Amino acid sequence: MNVLVSPKTASAHIANARPLVRTVIVGHVDHGKSTLIGRLLHETGNIPDGKLDSIKAVSGRRGMPFEWSFLLDALQTERDQGITLDTSQIRFRTPSRDIVLIDAPGHAEFLRNMITGASQADAALLIIDAAEGVRDQTRRHGYLLHLLGIHQVAVVINKMDRVGFDEQRFHEIEAEIVSYLAGFGLTATAIIPISARNGDGVAQRTPSIAWHTGPTVLDVLDHFSPAKPLADLPLRIPVQAVYKFDDRRIIAGRIETGRVAVGDEIAFSPRGTTARIQSIEEWPVPDESRIPRRARAGQSVGLTLDRQIFVDRGDVISAAHMPSMSVDRLRARVFWLHDQPLAKGASVNVRVAMSECRGTVAMIENVVDPGRLSASGTATIAQNHVGEIEIALAHPIAADLYAVNPRTGRLVLELAGRISGGGLVLAVDAQAHQSGRATSGVARDLRSEKEALTAQASRLSDLLKELSPGDRLACFRDAVGGKITFTTSFGLEDQVILHLLSEQAIDVDVATLDTGRLFPETYELWAETEQRYGRRIRAIYPRHDALETLVDKFGINGFYESREARSACCHVRKVEPLNRALNGAAAWIVGLRADQSGHRQGTGLVAVDDRNLLKLSPLFDWSRDAVHAFALAHHIPINPLHTKNFLSIGCAPCTRAVAPGEPERAGRWWWEQDEKKECGLHLVRAGSAAHPHPEAIPSAR
Ligand code: SF4
């Protein structure tokens, strides 16, 4: 299947750079993907004028009822007349996004394209037929999304007209798919009942699905987070060549991610050397006034340095404070293309960006046949199968984890001179280089994603600690690729952070957990804050089925009765919704201060939480008085309860005013005698939170 965009739309896209979200549509082959795509193009006004009428007329003449999928066939035909932009990607606009809808012709092709970098998706729609329910292929495709690290997944339950728009049937399928996805830690962004054929739930909530209070497909597409622009990721320039001109040496390469400017201190991996950029060269030589001072991702540049150091093709240039890693052993998830299976001990050529090196396959595990998504149980990876391998490299090369930088975290494997596979770097055995200088000795540990993030958190903490909170936020935004979510509970610190984010227009997602038990004052402050800063604050609600079960079991105020009931309530109303709020995020901003509690002192300015998210607390080293003074000085709206000695304001039944001299956290869960007042919001592992053991949730927030 193939497609199209109206020429009108294409030119508009070029004129206005809007957030672009690549969304793959997956699901069982007969569950209505083409119908949904056709309907979406129609509902979003992306069909060329007159096209729909002419297809309907042709259908009528042939005595066939019109099907939305005909639209795609017709547009595919036009592709041959030169209208289509791409053979498997459908481009259209929603009110605030440009969408590239990737129709996966088959899961093996999709997997191969994603892993080898031929196409990339930031989000996914998983489609299920309401009458047929969850099928094997649905499960396979859900698992593929997990395998590829796609976190933004909306489930679309189609053909609701075939089951009489039965809400009960919808909830049955919802429960099944939610539980299946939760098995590998995936939480759906939304579950949407639709009839693509009739239009219900695609762009509008029609009377047939009046019971559905969630978003439509169009709403979801319009709120998927785009991938971070390549220019906003950390700097990476694979060196293509080094030229000698007169007495200058010019280092040439394409900026894969990030930006550079004359005067920047840069590091060369895997060498660990550093230098400053003396000039950015351009040919033909421009006149003095047009000599470039800076460049960004996508541009090819020639750099001269302020000192003579050895640089070679394959080296990777990074900002000195955030260098690429020097890697001599790595673990990757690979898609194998060669007809000769990949076996342990095989000698392969490994390419990462411009680096190239011989490597020996030291280990193979988790081999999966994507056709069945069953473990193959073999120690080799057959053609078109996926597996995880460890490769010992003949010498160190520069690389990143795929989760940190998709451009330099992807590898190509060659066997006997032929491209034979592609993969994503999952973990590396790295030689540590701090700020571009090799540390004494070589730290050789299999560095997991967590460890790499911990090293990044430590570097960021050093970098940010001397900055103001506003500059910390801006710098953090620059340093971190992907979505950053700020979770606010409208506390004093949260209000100051939101003010700083808004003042500098820093691009982060802002979300709040509406537990359903907040103070009326908090709801009023929420509305006032949205108005003051002109932005929507995304509300995350508890799952209604979990809430009903909770109240059935413990009663509406059961949390007063036992630690177990309190933990369960916090889990349903806060912890699970928080995991949903952070779904798809690379980093998290919170309003913690070190002096709030003993536990919080141990967290640090930038930390890594159990979800493997970088967590920034920009007010970490501020006192409450300093935050309060800042809020007053900047006329930031704050909760009136603060003036009545409510310090930490959470759910109304669980919060009281604090008496003079009492610690700040004493107002939370005052009936529990416990020093450590943390509810688990900041502590519980994302994966374990789907079905937490009550004991896993610490005692109080
Ligand atoms: Fe429930 Fe109280 Fe926790 Fe709010 S703070 S989620 S009401 S136990």
Side-chain angles (χ1 to χ4, degrees):
M1 198 253 299
N2 306 297
V3 181
L4 47 118
V5 66
S6 68
K8 202 168 55 184
T9 308
S11 57
H13 169 72
I14 293 161
N16 302 315
R18 306 186 328 143
L20 176 76
V21 183
R22 295 172 196 281
T23 305
V24 64
I25 182 163
V26 293
H28 190 281
V29 66
D30 295 324
H31 286 191
K33 285 192 291 177
S34 301
T35 307
L36 175 58
I37 294 169
R39 175 61 83 164
L40 269 171
L41 291 173
H42 170 64
E43 299 283 354
T44 52
N46 283 285
I47 297 174
D49 292 343
K51 175 55 62 187
L52 190 59
D53 289 341
S54 74
I55 297 169
K56 283 183 175 172
V58 170
S59 303
R61 280 200 296 277
R62 290 178 182 166
M64 297 163 66
F66 168 75
E67 295 283 347
W68 285 99
S69 54
F70 295 167
L71 184 63
L72 295 187
D73 296 340
L75 291 167
Q76 181 178 359
T77 306
E78 288 185 1
R79 175 177 68 92
D80 303 331
Q81 298 164 23
I83 293 178
T84 307
L85 297 182
D86 193 282
T87 55
S88 60
Q89 304 194 348
I90 303 132
R91 222 172 165 130
F92 65 96
R93 292 161 69 95
T94 63
S96 63
R97 299 270 184 278
D98 282 353
I99 303 289
V100 173
L101 209 53
I102 303 165
D103 180 41
H107 47 273
E109 292 91 330
F110 171 57
L111 191 59
R112 179 176 55 207
N113 288 349
M114 278 288 289
I115 280 190
T116 57
S119 67
Q120 264 182 290
D122 314 313
L125 295 176
L126 174 62
I127 193 163
I128 302 173
D129 182 319
E132 293 195 0
V134 176
R135 303 285 297 272
D136 281 352
Q137 205 174 34
T138 316
R139 291 193 194 89
R140 258 179 236 141
H141 287 192
Y143 183 74
L144 281 189
L145 300 176
H146 154 70
L147 211 58
L148 295 166
I150 300 174
H151 301 296
Q152 301 185 88
V153 180
V155 176
V156 176
I157 301 183
N158 188 25
K159 307 191 189 181
M160 287 299 299
D161 49 314
R162 285 182 62 194
V163 296
F165 295 96
D166 180 8
E167 183 181 0
Q168 183 61 33
R169 176 65 182 149
F170 170 77
H171 288 310
E172 278 168 24
I173 298 173
E174 177 188 40
E176 185 177 353
I177 192 68
V178 164
S179 145
Y180 177 71
L181 296 177
F184 38 83
L186 204 56
T187 307
T189 310
I191 318 273
I192 313 163
I194 71 162
S195 164
R197 179 195 295 261
N198 299 342
D200 310 86
V202 177
Q204 285 163 13
R205 256 179 244 95
T206 58
S208 304
I209 50 165
W211 43 266
H212 173 62
T213 54
T216 63
V217 179
L218 190 57
D219 292 335
V220 160
L221 289 171
D222 205 39
H223 285 86
F224 275 148
S225 297
K228 193 168 187 194
L230 294 175
D232 293 347
L233 292 172
L235 175 69
R236 298 291 185 260
I237 310 175
V239 174
Q240 286 170 352
V242 181
Y243 300 107
K244 195 150 174 21
F245 278 95
D246 43 59
D247 58 346
R248 294 171 304 161
R249 280 195 318 142
I250 297 178
I251 297 154
R254 182 177 189 276
I255 307 176
E256 290 294 337
T257 57
R259 307 156 199 257
V260 282
V262 171
D264 284 355
E265 188 175 16
I266 54 175
F268 292 82
S269 302
R271 300 174 196 287
T273 48
T274 61
R276 277 192 192 280
I277 297 175
Q278 191 165 57
S279 68
I280 299 175
E281 303 291 319
E282 204 173 72
W283 295 273
V285 178
D287 65 50
E288 194 71 21
S289 63
R290 292 183 52 245
I291 290 176
R293 305 280 305 167
R294 43 183 45 89
R296 54 187 288 146
Q299 287 181 261
S300 292
V301 290
L303 306 175
T304 65
L305 307 178
D306 69 342
R307 69 197 76 151
Q308 292 285 349
I309 55 173
F310 182 75
V311 179
D312 202 2
R313 176 182 163 87
D315 291 354
V316 171
I317 298 171
S318 321
H321 66 273
M322 216 168 284
S324 184
M325 288 183 289
S326 168
V327 172
D328 58 11
R329 189 180 180 99
L330 57 82
R331 183 184 183 92
R333 179 174 298 137
V334 299
F335 189 93
W336 190 245
L337 301 165
H338 203 292
D339 50 11
Q340 177 186 329
L342 182 66
K344 188 176 167 188
S347 175
V348 287
N349 203 45
V350 181
R351 278 202 272 131
V352 178
M354 303 305 295
S355 311
E356 205 170 324
C357 177
R358 293 302 300 168
T360 304
V361 177
M363 193 269 294
I364 295 181
E365 61 183 16
N366 298 335
V367 180
V368 170
D369 171 359
R372 298 188 183 150
L373 281 191
S374 53
S376 78
T378 64
T380 60
I381 308 178
Q383 188 175 31
N384 292 334
H385 287 198
V386 176
E388 290 181 13
I389 62 174
E390 257 183 53
I391 308 175
L393 300 171
H395 59 77
I397 60 171
D400 288 300
L401 300 180
Y402 178 76
V404 173
N405 191 319
R407 289 299 178 111
T408 44
R410 196 190 286 285
L411 55 78
V412 171
L413 300 176
E414 292 173 351
L415 187 68
R418 211 174 108 192
I419 291 181
S420 304
L424 314 179
V425 180
L426 303 178
V428 298
D429 184 359
Q431 302 184 356
H433 293 291
Q434 294 295 331
S435 302
R437 293 186 304 278
T439 51
S440 56
V442 175
R444 286 175 185 278
D445 54 333
L446 191 63
R447 189 180 281 204
S448 65
E449 181 180 355
K450 176 107 188 178
E451 288 163 321
L453 284 169
T454 303
Q456 191 184 4
S458 158
R459 282 197 300 270
L460 281 169
S461 286
D462 282 349
L463 188 72
L464 304 184
K465 69 180 178 217
E466 304 300 338
L467 303 182
S468 68
D471 288 345
R472 286 173 178 171
L473 288 163
C475 200
F476 189 70
R477 175 62 284 182
D478 283 347
V480 174
K483 181 168 105 173
I484 300 179
T485 296
F486 166 49
T487 49
T488 174
S489 55
F490 303 101
L492 190 59
E493 294 80 9
D494 295 333
Q495 291 297 93
V496 166
I497 292 171
L498 188 62
H499 176 86
L500 294 170
L501 289 169
S502 303
E503 204 177 34
Q504 298 193 59
I506 297 171
D507 173 28
V508 303
D509 165 49
V510 182
T512 191
L513 310 182
D514 183 353
T515 63
R517 306 302 302 264
L518 304 181
F519 285 94
E521 289 87 343
T522 304
Y523 287 108
E524 279 161 28
L525 178 64
W526 180 347
E528 186 187 349
T529 304
E530 285 193 339
Q531 198 172 15
R532 160 80 186 268
Y533 296 109
R535 68 189 303 164
R536 282 296 305 277
I537 295 169
R538 191 162 61 98
I540 314 292
Y541 301 101
R543 292 185 60 85
H544 74 269
D545 51 345
L547 212 46
E548 281 174 13
T549 308
L550 175 83
V551 174
D552 275 356
K553 184 168 178 195
F554 296 110
I556 187 69
N557 287 331
F559 41 81
Y560 289 130
E561 306 303 327
S562 70
R563 177 67 55 87
E564 183 202 3
R566 211 272 287 162
S567 293
C569 185
C570 280
H571 174 74
V572 168
R573 293 181 190 271
K574 293 180 179 177
V575 179
E576 188 280 331
L578 178 73
N579 288 333
R580 257 185 292 130
L582 295 175
N583 202 9
W588 183 20
I589 295 171
V590 293
L592 299 189
R593 287 185 293 103
D595 64 2
Q596 280 171 317
S597 70
H599 166 72
R600 292 178 180 208
Q601 280 167 19
T603 56
L605 177 59
V606 182
V608 181
D609 84 344
D610 281 343
R611 304 168 183 81
N612 272 4
L613 295 181
L614 285 169
K615 187 164 87 169
L616 169 69
S617 307
L619 300 175
F620 185 69
D621 46 2
W622 276 33
S623 67
R624 183 180 177 81
D625 287 348
V627 179
H628 192 230
F630 186 95
L632 290 184
H634 292 82
H635 309 291
I636 295 171
I638 61 175
N639 198 317
L641 290 170
H642 288 311
T643 61
K644 298 178 185 170
N645 273 353
F646 284 77
L647 299 186
S648 166
I649 301 172
C651 293
C654 301
T655 311
R656 68 160 168 77
V658 170
E662 277 191 311
E664 193 171 324
R665 310 283 300 163
R668 288 294 191 84
W669 305 292
W670 67 89
W671 64 94
E672 287 180 2
Q673 301 307 314
D674 194 325
E675 294 294 302
K676 195 166 164 249
K677 301 249 180 188
E678 298 289 338
C679 84
L681 268 185
H682 310 288
L683 300 172
V684 173
R685 241 182 83 76
S688 65
H691 304 286
H693 189 282
E695 296 304 316
I697 302 174
S699 57
R701 176 179 154 93

